[in-house]
Amino acid sequence: MTFDLPEGMSREEVLARYEATLPRWRANADLIRKTYLYDPAGNRGGGIYLWPSVAAAKAAHDADWCRMAEETYGSAPRFDYFETPLIVENDVDES
């Protein structure tokens, strides 16, 4: 999911808005992982979410959430859905 950021929004402002969303995502039992994205050159933000299903993803990003995101970041979010057939986690301790 990506969205355009308002012109002139600083990295600090973006991170503060992201941090304000942490409790919501931590409380979502369906969410496996979320990675926040910030692209200052392209003036974009977003996230990569790992969900158990597309239905869970769509339930979390319902119409109310999309309105809130647009109010918070100044543009409507754009969604792409992908299957995640493999994940590599190099920082996992296997001992």
Side-chain angles (χ1 to χ4, degrees):
M1 180 271 306
T2 60
F3 47 83
D4 297 323
L5 293 168
E7 199 64 42
M9 182 178 278
S10 70
R11 182 179 191 278
E12 292 74 24
E13 290 173 296
V14 172
L15 292 180
R17 292 179 190 202
Y18 285 175
E19 288 174 0
T21 70
L22 291 174
R24 173 192 174 94
W25 294 119
R26 286 187 175 132
N28 188 312
D30 286 332
L31 181 64
I32 298 167
R33 175 182 299 122
K34 177 177 180 176
T35 303
Y36 289 82
L37 304 174
Y38 174 57
D39 173 18
N43 205 42
R44 294 182 306 158
I48 298 173
Y49 301 78
L50 184 57
W51 298 99
S53 66
V54 172
K58 290 182 177 183
H61 295 114
D62 61 10
D64 288 337
W65 184 89
C66 289
R67 275 191 296 280
M68 179 278 305
E70 188 166 1
E71 290 170 6
T72 301
Y73 301 107
S75 71
R78 297 175 297 277
F79 297 93
D80 292 300
Y81 300 95
F82 299 89
E83 181 182 336
T84 309
L86 297 172
I87 298 172
V88 174
E89 292 200 44
N90 288 334
D91 64 350
V92 175
D93 183 9
E94 294 185 26
S95 55

